Amino acid sequence: MASLKSREKRFGFGILAAYLTHTAIFWGYPFVWMVMLAFSRWRFVGKPSFVGLANFLRIFQDSNFIRVALNTLNFLAYLIPMLLLSSLLFAIALSKMRYFKTFVVMSFLVANVSSGVAYSIMFANLFAVNGPVNRFVYSLFGFTIPWFNHPQLAIFSICLIVTWKFIGYYGMIIYAGLQAIPTSVFEAARMDGASNWKIFWTITLPLLNPSLITVTVFATTLTFGIFTEPYMITGGGPMMRTTTFLIYMYDTAFRRINPSYATVVAIVAAAMSFSLVMIIRRIFEREVAFV
Amino acid sequence: MRRFWIFTLMLVVVVTFAATKLVFWTAPNPLQEEFWKEVISEWNRLRPDIQIEVSVIPAAASSEEAILTAIAAGTAPDISENIFSGFAAQLAEIGAIYPLDNFKEDFWKLVETRKMRNIVEGWKVKGHYYVLPIYSNPMLFWWRGDLLKQLGYDRPPRTYSEIYELSSKFTKPNERYVMQVIAGRNWWDRWFDFITYYYAASGGKAYIDAEKRKAVFNNEYGLKVTEFIYKMFKENHTAVELGTNPFYFGTILGKITGPWEINWAKETFPEVMPHVWLAPPPVPDDYPADLPVYTFADTKGLVIYENCKDKKAAFEFISWVFSNVEHDVLWIEKTRMPPAREDLVTNPAFAKFMEDRFFKAYAEAVPYAVPPALIDKTIDVQLSMTTHLIEPLMHLKGEPKDILNNAVKEVNKILF
């Protein structure tokens, strides 16, 4: 009996070992290194020297950091409504479809698994001044649209690309939420004489709260992690307006040769993202039960 | 017989394991890669005791990022090329590269043999010479001679006013413009626009005082250049975006470029290249016509890293490559870029290249081509110039003088 127990124990540890080793290498080691970097000054060569809170104090005087934080809010202001609205419309359209549902879903999900570099180049050419979109606009109205050259338009254009990428994925989350609502609820409302509009606002939307909050939280964390599109298309410009936290971290670490400060930027950005998610959940999250 | 084979096998094993193996990274440019592969295979044949393994700098947004990532990961090569002076200053600052003057008379002998005594002075960082300059690319303007002739011109425009006048005959907003004024949004693009125009306007004067760590381009020359760029955008002589290959498709009449584009353009646009006219960058109207026009030198060199397994062997290899003038001849044949040597126009070894009008124009501009300011914060400074100088000018956010003063203030914050 005892030998069976010890064999089970060994087996249990054996299974755990793979996970623990993976965590120690890919999570534990970078975490320890991150803490060391945050409180020291290191420039890729030599040993880190302890500087206390200097890196954290610097962030409050860094106008670039403030610019990037404002940019992130600007991105959020476009991206959250764009993603919520488009994926909600996608989910509703999908629930009304009778045929080719799988084909449509797969078509939208292709965007989600496409290479960021490849589609960024494609969009940059598509929206270029002599690209097909602008040629069409010019032939109709006699002017071109500076998609990536006007500060606000550049943010908007990148949000359009990100929305295109995630509409299928987030749409599926909302679609799952729609499917979870019992049809009896709608039937009861119709019998009481409620219009479609009324049903949507007072039944569908409130009951979709968990799915919508999930999408909002995902979109928020996504915004803090935008990198490929602005890096490839605008290089963080114009006027630094599309410089995101990831671009700033990357530039600070590898162009300014200051990985210590880049680490602190990463920590503060993560804290901001986490706080924002908590605030969103606190304000908008509702408990939903189908009785 | 058996003994002979065993002996041979042992010898092969000993030579293989005893040989010093050095890793050399070349620029991600197929023409340069071709040159280095040829030279290194010759060296490896001659010197089985010091074997060089050649590979291209790994793919990244820029060579600098790839090298820094490799240094951080502990996988840096022993030697690499494609190092610009500002990056060398950064690498020297963090102690990642080895001073070549530590090889004392061997280094100076190489400098004398390759005729680059004055050139190396432009690469001095904190009293040491970390870089062996390989080539110096002056930036020149290419103009569409065929289109200019149609407009009644027999030479490219020289001054800002001549450009405005040419523009009035050619530019049709949203369709075609007189020239590309801004090279792009990357940090290095400032070399090819503002800094080039500044050197041209000022007769090659410094835009940053490296000793005092102070930006000095808010002077009369800086203002003339700033006003020129501003006017070009304000009066629609140029546009923020010009599409792909605008020069070859006739969307613009002129643009700035280096000799690296010659071979590519000859292959890709053979019908355009015979009609290209080369000229120095445009200058302000009051710049004397009889004085030479200065321009920017895109110059790159080679370094030995501090972690190199055998620095002496690495230097031996470098000396062998650059002491032989035939290697520089091969370099020109492969890349069409002028080697960083002072005898380019006088050395008979290079005479045959002077028949190529493109190479000749670039070689003749070498004496008037000025390298960038030797500061360790080049990337940050030029990112700041992009944000605070070029972009406000492109988008007409303020008056040229205010934009210029603000840009200098921002750059000085970085340098301080």
Side-chain angles (χ1 to χ4, degrees):
Chain A
M1 194 69 186
S3 92
L4 182 69
K5 233 180 182 178
S6 75
R7 232 187 303 155
E8 266 185 0
K9 245 185 199 171
R10 274 208 303 275
F11 180 67
F13 275 120
I15 292 174
L16 265 182
Y19 169 75
L20 288 176
T21 315
H22 179 272
T23 309
I25 296 172
F26 294 102
W27 193 86
Y29 175 70
F31 186 81
V32 172
W33 191 223
M34 179 193 78
V35 174
M36 273 173 66
L37 275 182
F39 296 100
S40 63
R41 184 172 162 77
W42 181 67
R43 301 185 76 187
F44 292 112
V45 178
K47 282 184 183 156
S49 56
F50 182 73
V51 292
L53 288 171
N55 290 325
F56 285 92
L57 293 175
R58 186 183 151 185
I59 226 164
F60 296 106
Q61 298 151 2
D62 181 359
S63 58
N64 286 339
F65 179 84
I66 294 162
R67 174 76 265 157
V68 174
L70 290 174
N71 291 348
T72 308
L73 289 178
N74 206 336
F75 269 105
L76 279 168
Y78 285 119
L79 208 50
I80 303 256
M82 280 163 81
L83 275 169
L84 274 177
L85 198 70
S86 56
S87 37
L88 182 65
L89 288 175
F90 174 76
I92 292 170
L94 201 64
S95 65
K96 304 269 181 217
M97 276 180 84
R98 283 192 182 180
Y99 309 105
F100 304 117
K101 212 180 249 188
T102 316
F103 174 76
V104 171
V105 171
M106 293 307 283
S107 309
F108 275 85
L109 283 175
V110 163
N112 199 250
V113 292
S114 302
S115 147
V117 174
Y119 70 69
S120 294
I121 294 172
M122 184 193 80
F123 277 108
N125 284 311
L126 207 61
F127 290 99
V129 71
N130 58 354
V133 174
N134 262 332
R135 269 200 205 139
F136 179 69
V137 172
Y138 185 68
S139 66
L140 281 186
F141 308 108
F143 62 85
T144 54
I145 302 170
W147 293 103
F148 298 115
N149 285 307
H150 183 277
Q152 277 304 319
L153 256 181
I155 296 179
F156 176 74
S157 306
I158 287 169
C159 288
L160 269 183
I161 300 171
V162 176
T163 305
W164 166 82
K165 183 177 170 123
F166 283 91
I167 189 170
Y169 176 34
Y170 293 167
M172 286 308 290
I173 294 173
I174 297 177
Y175 178 71
L178 273 176
Q179 297 302 101
I181 304 172
T183 45
S184 56
V185 182
F186 297 116
E187 282 162 9
R190 272 196 201 100
M191 281 169 72
D192 288 342
S195 65
N196 281 344
W197 194 241
K198 182 97 175 159
I199 290 173
F200 177 76
W201 278 109
T202 52
I203 299 175
T204 315
L205 216 52
L207 290 181
L208 270 180
N209 182 281
S211 310
L212 294 174
I213 291 296
T214 306
V215 169
T216 312
V217 168
F218 280 5
T220 308
T221 50
L222 170 78
T223 312
F224 277 82
I226 295 175
F227 179 77
T228 314
E229 297 83 3
Y231 188 77
M232 290 296 300
I233 301 171
T234 58
M239 326 280 280
M240 246 189 111
R241 290 303 170 84
T242 58
T243 304
T244 59
F245 275 118
L246 278 193
I247 291 184
Y248 189 53
M249 283 172 217
Y250 183 77
D251 280 355
T252 305
F254 294 106
R255 285 179 172 169
R256 300 181 174 91
I257 316 193
N258 197 346
S260 301
Y261 184 59
T263 306
V264 170
V265 173
I267 294 170
V268 175
M272 284 169 69
S273 156
F274 184 72
S275 312
L276 199 60
V277 166
M278 294 309 284
I279 292 168
I280 289 170
R281 289 188 61 186
R282 184 65 58 86
I283 298 174
F284 298 107
E285 202 168 29
R286 299 278 178 274
E287 205 161 315
V288 172
F290 305 111
V291 189
Chain B
M1 192 62 188
R2 220 174 108 194
R3 273 190 190 171
F4 169 76
W5 284 115
I6 291 172
F7 178 74
T8 315
L9 188 72
M10 279 173 69
L11 194 73
V12 169
V13 169
V14 167
V15 167
T16 312
F17 289 100
T20 304
K21 270 191 187 150
L22 298 176
V23 177
F24 178 84
W25 279 3
T26 74
N29 169 334
L31 305 171
Q32 270 166 265
E33 194 189 339
E34 221 175 278
F35 165 81
W36 283 108
K37 280 195 171 153
E38 200 169 319
V39 169
I40 286 171
S41 75
E42 190 188 340
W43 166 268
N44 284 346
R45 213 175 44 248
L46 293 170
R47 294 292 298 266
D49 57 325
I50 305 171
Q51 290 291 291
I52 310 281
E53 193 186 305
V54 60
S55 61
V56 177
I57 294 174
S62 67
S63 300
E64 291 77 26
E65 285 161 37
I67 289 166
L68 282 173
T69 315
I71 292 172
T75 54
D78 297 287
I79 317 164
S80 86
E81 60 155 349
N82 216 27
I83 307 292
F84 81 90
S85 55
F87 187 49
Q90 264 186 320
L91 291 176
E93 178 75 26
I94 63 172
I97 48 176
Y98 186 75
L100 300 179
D101 49 319
N102 279 4
F103 295 107
K104 297 193 169 77
E105 62 269 22
D106 288 342
F107 172 70
W108 291 112
K109 202 175 133 198
L110 173 62
V111 168
E112 290 304 330
T113 315
R114 204 181 177 228
K115 305 277 181 274
M116 45 184 188
R117 189 68 194 80
N118 291 327
I119 293 173
V120 290
E121 284 311 310
W123 288 80
K124 206 170 176 180
V125 180
K126 291 184 175 172
H128 286 284
Y129 304 87
Y130 291 89
V131 188
L132 192 89
I134 298 181
Y135 63 84
S136 176
N137 284 331
M139 298 304 294
L140 289 181
F141 256 78
W142 288 17
W143 290 95
R144 286 288 297 260
D146 48 348
L147 302 177
L148 281 169
K149 269 187 195 161
Q150 285 172 20
L151 294 166
Y153 288 85
D154 57 2
R155 64 165 182 85
R158 191 183 72 86
T159 62
Y160 298 163
S161 283
E162 285 179 25
I163 286 176
Y164 304 141
E165 190 205 313
L166 173 63
S167 177
S168 67
K169 293 179 185 163
F170 181 76
T171 299
K172 202 174 164 199
N174 287 313
E175 273 182 35
R176 53 183 204 233
Y177 297 94
V178 67
M179 64 179 258
Q180 181 177 11
V181 177
I182 298 304
R185 284 228 173 82
N186 290 305
W187 64 265
W188 58 80
D189 288 316
R190 299 300 70 76
W191 288 333
F192 312 132
D193 44 56
F194 183 82
I195 296 171
T196 298
Y197 299 131
Y198 180 84
Y199 279 155
S202 68
K205 289 196 171 57
Y207 57 98
I208 284 173
D209 185 333
E211 294 268 304
K212 292 181 185 159
R213 294 185 71 81
K214 199 169 172 257
V216 291
F217 56 86
N218 56 339
N219 51 23
E220 53 171 313
Y221 314 112
L223 187 61
K224 280 175 190 166
V225 173
T226 310
E227 280 170 346
F228 166 65
I229 298 174
Y230 183 82
K231 191 170 174 178
M232 289 298 282
F233 282 98
K234 190 163 189 219
E235 296 182 359
N236 284 322
H237 300 301
T238 191
V240 171
E241 254 197 287
L242 296 162
T244 40
N245 292 320
F247 179 74
Y248 301 100
F249 293 133
T251 312
I252 52 168
L253 287 177
K255 69 156 191 171
I256 196 159
T257 190
W260 56 78
E261 197 165 315
I262 301 170
N263 282 354
W264 171 82
K266 277 182 177 168
E267 270 176 34
T268 321
F269 298 99
E271 72 289 0
V272 174
M273 287 304 276
H275 310 291
V276 170
W277 291 349
L278 289 104
V283 287
D285 297 353
D286 56 359
Y287 192 88
D290 54 339
L291 284 187
V293 177
Y294 283 77
T295 186
F296 174 79
D298 174 51
T299 169
K300 300 266 173 77
L302 171 152
V303 294
I304 296 178
Y305 289 90
E306 194 57 60
N307 65 346
C308 173
K309 293 183 278 289
D310 189 341
K311 297 181 182 76
K312 203 167 164 288
F315 189 74
E316 235 180 282
F317 163 69
I318 296 168
S319 297
W320 175 81
V321 176
F322 293 102
S323 298
N324 187 347
V325 72
E326 284 310 312
H327 288 150
D328 276 328
V329 169
L330 181 70
W331 170 270
I332 303 171
E333 273 168 8
K334 296 279 184 201
T335 66
R336 292 283 141 184
M337 296 197 280
R341 22 191 326 154
E342 286 147 24
D343 62 344
L344 213 51
V345 184
T346 53
N347 194 324
F350 306 117
K352 62 177 174 180
F353 299 112
M354 295 300 161
E355 286 159 21
D356 178 340
R357 68 185 183 99
F358 283 96
F359 183 80
K360 187 169 180 265
Y362 279 104
E364 283 172 353
V366 169
Y368 308 108
V370 188
L374 209 64
I375 44 167
D376 58 341
K377 290 191 171 166
T378 301
I379 298 172
D380 250 351
V381 163
Q382 291 183 198
L383 278 174
S384 179
M385 283 168 89
T386 307
T387 310
H388 299 290
L389 179 67
I390 296 302
E391 289 187 334
L393 287 176
M394 285 162 86
H395 299 290
L396 312 173
K397 303 269 180 200
E399 288 303 311
K401 196 173 181 183
D402 301 334
I403 294 171
L404 180 70
N405 287 334
N406 183 48
V408 167
K409 205 173 85 194
E410 291 295 331
V411 169
N412 279 336
K413 270 191 213 166
I414 295 165
L415 289 171
F416 183 64

